Amino acid sequence: MEDMADPVPGIDYPRTFEEFDRFFPDEDACRRYLTRVRWRAGFSCRGCGCGDSPWVTARGYLHCRKCERETSITAGTVFERTRSPLKTWFLVMWLVTSQKHGASALGLQRVLGLSRYDTAWTWLHKLRRAMVRPGRERLSGRVEVDETYVGGTKVGGKRGRGAEKKEIVAIAVEIHSPKGFGRVRMRRVLDVSGESLVPFVCDLVQAGSEILTDGWRGYNALGDHGYTRTKTVLSDTADPAHVAMPGVHRIAALLKRWLLGTHQGGVSAKHLDDYLDEYTFRFNRRSSRARGLLFHRLMEQAATTGPTRYRDLVGGNHNG
Ligand SMILES: [Zn+2]
């Protein structure tokens, strides 16, 4: 629901781990695959413009048969200047995308037998940076928007007291009729003021959409930005178990379970956005029957996402 083109299972991507093994027996196979994904429309040499298929050198370059110019296969991708084999990267991507809840750094360290936790952590974060597709469309139609609190020691609480040590995550989800959800977007916000919440909606939801919210005043200005706001005020309903925003409520519950379960709650505030991106990537592709398709989508985005410097990852510089 989030992507265009139609890759062919078993040909464009492996469907099972057995196929994965057959797809990627060595570095050369990995380079060819990355080349195919990166230059989907066919490679053309930037030196002479010729479209003849280049040969792949042992050092990982495409060598133009006509003008001899060499083009790095990994430069400008997540794998740029990596010291690890592509095959290891691909395996990590397979583990992240083939498991329903993804992979944790600790789990990855164990499976790959890495001596350092940091290595696994860095790989996962680099891949998370590739999970947001540049230029993705904004949500549209009927969209529920609400905030939730993540992390900290206190549970529950909405807007205000008890929330001091928690991070606030704004969530928007498309509501389908008669039931079901479409795509989701989420982002950490500093507070629940209109200055934080309205830009969240403007950045991620198309103007003209109907925004469903509760009665919170932070959303009052939405009308000035071309949205129709439909308010549901919780205190108007007699049922104490009623939730005003069932879509957001459900997603927030799943998100928290994932953070606590897969990642043992060990997510610091400055890295929270990266985890939200991974969660969103998986949620918005939940209807992909073949897990291998998710691997392919991540590969497509990894092939077009520049590398993130380690210090930006550690510092939590999300847009770095
Ligand atoms: Zn050339």
Side-chain angles (χ1 to χ4, degrees), residues 220-289:
N220 285 355
L222 282 177
D224 304 337
H225 295 267
Y227 300 96
T228 310
R229 179 192 185 192
T230 305
K231 252 195 266 187
T232 303
V233 180
L234 206 55
S235 54
D236 292 349
T237 64
D239 178 5
H242 176 83
V243 282
M245 298 298 130
V248 168
H249 187 82
R250 170 105 184 102
I251 287 156
L254 291 169
L255 170 71
K256 287 176 208 183
R257 205 180 303 160
W258 179 67
L259 289 173
L260 281 173
T262 303
H263 302 288
Q264 312 269 300
V267 173
S268 66
K270 63 183 177 183
H271 296 122
L272 181 59
D273 277 317
D274 291 328
Y275 290 89
L276 298 180
D277 287 346
E278 178 178 347
Y279 189 84
T280 301
F281 175 82
R282 194 170 281 110
F283 186 88
N284 286 346
R285 291 166 185 79
R286 64 196 179 281
S287 62
S288 301
R289 287 247 176 98

Side-chain angles (χ1 to χ4, degrees), residues 78-143:
V78 160
F79 317 109
E80 183 172 330
R81 278 195 285 273
T82 181
R83 274 169 294 181
S84 309
L86 284 178
K87 205 182 163 179
T88 310
W89 274 101
F90 286 17
L91 178 59
V92 171
M93 291 164 79
W94 180 263
L95 293 171
V96 166
T97 52
S98 65
Q99 304 179 92
K100 190 171 178 219
H101 299 291
S104 68
L106 196 60
L108 207 56
Q109 185 193 6
R110 284 193 193 126
V111 170
L112 298 178
L114 301 169
S115 54
R116 287 165 50 87
Y117 173 86
D118 288 0
T119 309
W121 186 92
T122 306
W123 279 342
L124 287 177
H125 272 278
K126 285 191 175 193
L127 291 174
R128 285 184 187 116
R129 294 292 167 103
M131 287 181 184
V132 176
R133 191 158 53 88
R136 62 183 181 173
E137 304 81 24
R138 285 183 284 181
L139 304 187
S140 60
R142 303 184 77 211
V143 180

